[in-house]
């Protein structure tokens, strides 16, 4: 399989090369040159493959999902090992409503308690293998609005031949997130940028196009612009939709907390591969570039505004370019997904009220602010829309990552999972830089 740039279908490269480069040389994003429909073949066997009511065997399924994409590439023979290394924690689907029509897909059981662990671990397992025998270290630049940097740092920490530079907007990530970005040392360096996430992202893009840096380092990106993060994220959509289909014979519909649209793109790609998925609904915070675009057809990228769901504070989502390469305008995109925007007041109210509700199967549901956006969007669907779907809320982070926000709302402590507690014991270090390429260059 070849991968092409969103800006030029003639610019095509193999799987490993696309992962190593991150961004296409023309500034575009890599997408598969063609779409295999291989998951459709396993849908009729959904029940036996996954076993209804059992833990998904994600690693085994990941191998099947990835197979056509790495076919013919030097990575193909080691893909089984990569998948076992990356998918070593579960993505359980938990029922919420008593009638079973609403459930939550928990993507926060990895090392840094957010869904980004899946993609980051896959990318690390891959790049590490591509790095064997290379003389220069690979330098990974990653811009983060909070969770990406932690997941990437955790996944690449102490991997031989690889150095990581994490850029985050100073003062705009939660204290818990900041610890996760700055507690690594060794081959991981953290920079607090005086600016927004969009500034950080712009810096990374500039660094890639800079001839000077290209001469000095082998650069790669670990942002969701990297195909190596996106493709593996399709795996948990394939797994959970097969699970719903195996149990009910119905296709699953997803509500996805969205910012840079990596997770949403992965869901759409899973559907393209033939996963039994019905509706895809994007849940945005007050940064509503995408909902606005879908409603009036005019794309207006804008500076991000700070919200409680900070990992989704994106005013110019990178992966929109990938969505638009499949659906060229707003009308076409509207046929594939819908999008809503939720403000901070509604996020707070939703965390408070879902903690106290009594009509769900378990008591005291606690959302992180991002997942609360999805829970709120579910409540805003029409009764008819709710009744016709098998709805899955995508839980993108563990609430303990945002205890400063969540605990006062539920008036109760949030238990900290063991993974996170371990990170809190490490010493922190970080440098502060201006949002300029010159400042980044000297920090590198
Ligand atoms: C990154 C992140 C999001 C947004 O995901 P995208 O792929 O950028 O749309 C949502 N929730 C959490 C907790 C995140 O870390």
């Amino acid at each position: 399989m070849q991968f092409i740039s969103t800006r030029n279908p003639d610019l095509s490269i193999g799987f490993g090369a696309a992962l190593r480069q991150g961004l296409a040389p023309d500034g575009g994003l890599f997408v598969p040159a063609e779409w295999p429909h291989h998951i459709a073949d396993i849908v009729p066997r959904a029940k036996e493959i996954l076993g209804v009511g059992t833990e998904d065997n994600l690693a085994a399924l990941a191998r099947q999902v990835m197979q056509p994409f790495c076919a013919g590439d030097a990575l193909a023979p080691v893909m089984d090992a990569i998948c076992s290394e990356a998918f070593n924690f579960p993505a359980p689907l938990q029922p919420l409503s008593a009638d079973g029509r609403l459930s939550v897909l928990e993507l926060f059981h990895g090392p840094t308690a957010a869904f980004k662990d899946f993609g980051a671990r896959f990318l690390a397992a891959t790049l590490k293998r591509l790095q064997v025998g290379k003389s220069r270290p690979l330098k990974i630049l990653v811009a983060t609005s909070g969770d990406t940097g932690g997941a990437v740092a955790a996944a690449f920490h102490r991997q031989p031949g690889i150095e990581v530079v994490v850029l985050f907007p100073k003062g705009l990530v939660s204290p818990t997130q900041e610890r996760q970005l700055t507690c690594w040392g060794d081959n991981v360096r953290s920079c607090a940028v005086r600016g927004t996430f969009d500034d950080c992202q712009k810096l990374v893009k500039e660094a890639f196009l800079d001839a000077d840096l290209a001469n000095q380092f082998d650069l790669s990106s670990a942002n969701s612009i990297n195909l190596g993060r996106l493709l593996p994220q399709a795996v948990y959509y394939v797994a959970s939709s097969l699970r719903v289909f195996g149990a009910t014979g119905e296709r699953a519909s997803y509500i996805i907390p969205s910012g840079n649209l990596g997770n949403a793109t992965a869901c759409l790609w899973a559907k393209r591969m033939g996963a039994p998925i019905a509706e895809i609904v994007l849940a945005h915070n007050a940064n509503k570039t995408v909902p606005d675009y879908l409603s009036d057809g005019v794309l207006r990228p804008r500076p991000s505004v700070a919200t409680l769901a900070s990992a989704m504070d994106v005013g110019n989502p990178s992966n929109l370019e990938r969505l638009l390469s499949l659906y060229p305008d707003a009308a076409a995109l509207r046929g594939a997904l819908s999008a809503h925007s939720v403000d901070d007041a509604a996020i707070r109210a939703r965390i408070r009220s879902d903690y106290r509700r009594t009509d769900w199967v378990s008591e005291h549901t606690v959302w992180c602010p991002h997942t609360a956006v999805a829970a709120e969007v579910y409540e805003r669907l029409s009764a008819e829309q709710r009744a016709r779907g098998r709805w899955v809320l995508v839980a993108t982070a563990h609430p303990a990552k945002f205890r400063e926000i969540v605990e006062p709302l539920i008036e109760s402590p949030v238990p900290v999972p063991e993974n996170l507690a371990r990170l809190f014991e490490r010493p922190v270090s970080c440098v502060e830089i201006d949002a300029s390429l010159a400042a980044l260059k000297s920090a590198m």
Side-chain angles (χ1 to χ4, degrees):
M1 161 91 65
Q2 291 292 108
F3 296 83
I4 55 174
S5 165
T6 44
R7 298 186 188 173
N8 179 3
D10 295 331
L11 212 165
S12 109
I13 61 174
F15 183 74
L19 263 61
R20 229 180 115 90
Q21 284 186 23
L23 196 68
D26 62 354
L29 307 181
F30 288 118
V31 291
E34 63 208 280
W35 280 100
H37 202 244
H38 56 309
I39 302 304
D41 301 339
I42 60 178
V43 172
R45 292 185 291 123
K47 231 177 200 153
E48 37 177 306
I49 294 168
L50 293 167
V52 177
T54 63
E55 193 89 300
D56 300 331
N57 185 346
L58 280 185
L61 193 67
R63 286 172 207 137
Q64 297 199 43
V65 172
M66 299 308 297
Q67 197 273 329
F69 296 102
C70 63
D73 194 87
L75 283 168
V78 289
M79 193 45 66
D80 282 10
I82 291 172
C83 288
S84 302
E85 219 171 287
F87 291 88
N88 69 340
F89 59 93
L93 190 61
Q94 310 280 13
L96 282 176
S97 67
D99 66 4
R101 299 204 77 85
L102 176 65
S103 50
V104 55
L105 179 61
E106 294 182 353
L107 300 181
F108 50 67
H109 295 283
T112 67
F115 79 90
K116 295 190 173 82
D117 285 323
F118 284 104
R121 289 183 62 79
F122 183 89
L123 189 63
T126 307
L127 291 183
K128 159 174 114 182
R129 285 169 171 85
L130 290 173
Q131 195 55 23
V132 173
K134 295 273 194 304
S135 55
R136 297 203 291 189
L138 183 67
K139 199 138 312 246
I140 300 209
L141 283 181
V142 56
T144 183
S145 55
D147 287 337
T148 294
V152 167
F156 285 88
H157 186 226
R158 294 187 178 151
Q159 298 281 16
I162 301 184
E163 290 167 16
V164 178
V165 179
V166 177
L167 306 177
F168 66 94
K170 178 176 148 44
L172 297 180
V173 302
S174 84
T176 306
Q177 284 176 319
E178 181 155 343
R179 283 203 75 89
Q180 284 180 23
L181 296 172
T182 56
C183 71
W184 302 99
D186 304 313
N187 62 331
V188 178
R189 205 165 326 158
S190 318
C191 300
V193 176
R194 298 184 196 102
T196 63
F197 168 65
D198 290 321
D199 294 326
C200 297
Q201 190 155 258
K202 197 161 139 266
L203 270 183
V204 170
K205 285 193 180 159
E206 282 172 17
F208 270 100
L209 301 172
D210 188 87
D212 223 26
L213 287 174
N215 284 335
Q216 251 178 299
F217 305 111
D218 285 344
L219 282 185
S220 190
S221 152
N223 277 99
S224 61
I225 54 176
N226 193 311
L227 196 69
R229 282 196 37 208
L230 272 188
L231 267 179
Q233 286 176 9
V235 171
Y236 46 75
Y237 290 110
V238 170
S240 54
S241 63
L242 286 176
R243 184 118 168 240
V244 168
F245 192 83
T248 68
E250 290 178 60
R251 293 182 301 155
S253 292
Y254 291 88
I255 305 181
I256 306 172
S258 291
N260 223 5
L261 300 176
N263 216 357
T265 303
C267 186
L268 232 127
W269 285 6
K271 189 173 177 179
R272 289 227 144 201
M273 295 172 207
I277 294 172
E279 293 180 64
I280 300 174
V281 179
L282 311 190
H284 289 266
N285 60 24
N287 292 278
K288 55 195 183 73
T289 305
V290 177
D292 283 354
Y293 174 59
L294 288 179
S295 85
D296 65 16
V298 185
L299 182 56
R300 289 180 303 267
R302 58 201 85 164
S304 56
V305 297
T307 75
L308 293 173
S310 55
M312 297 162 24
D313 291 348
V314 185
N316 186 11
S318 298
N319 283 299
L320 190 55
E321 186 165 333
R322 282 193 165 106
L323 294 182
L324 292 175
S325 76
L326 289 175
Y327 306 94
D329 56 34
L333 193 55
R334 235 179 266 135
L337 46 78
S338 59
H340 299 259
S341 162
V342 171
D343 65 18
D344 276 358
I347 292 174
R348 279 196 198 90
R350 179 56 45 203
I351 292 173
R352 247 190 230 115
S353 64
D354 281 354
Y355 182 72
R356 290 175 182 86
R357 67 192 291 163
T358 52
D359 57 334
W360 280 353
V361 285
S362 62
E363 289 189 332
H364 294 318
T365 301
V366 186
W367 301 132
C368 88
H370 311 78
T371 310
V373 174
E376 174 65 17
V377 166
Y378 173 76
E379 296 296 330
R380 294 182 186 181
L381 299 179
S382 68
E384 189 273 323
Q385 203 176 5
R386 285 204 298 261
R388 76 168 177 241
R390 286 274 166 190
W391 289 97
V392 177
L393 304 182
V394 177
T396 48
H398 192 284
K401 282 190 98 160
F402 304 90
R403 351 203 271 263
E404 303 84 1
I405 296 168
V406 175
E407 288 179 346
L409 294 171
I410 64 171
E411 297 171 55
S412 185
V414 178
V416 179
E418 209 178 300
N419 296 351
L420 286 185
R422 265 200 301 270
L423 298 187
F424 291 149
E425 289 158 13
R426 303 175 60 91
V428 299
S429 76
C430 131
V431 295
E432 197 177 311
I433 65 167
D434 279 331
S436 75
L437 188 59
L440 173 60
K441 276 179 161 174
S442 60
M444 284 169 71

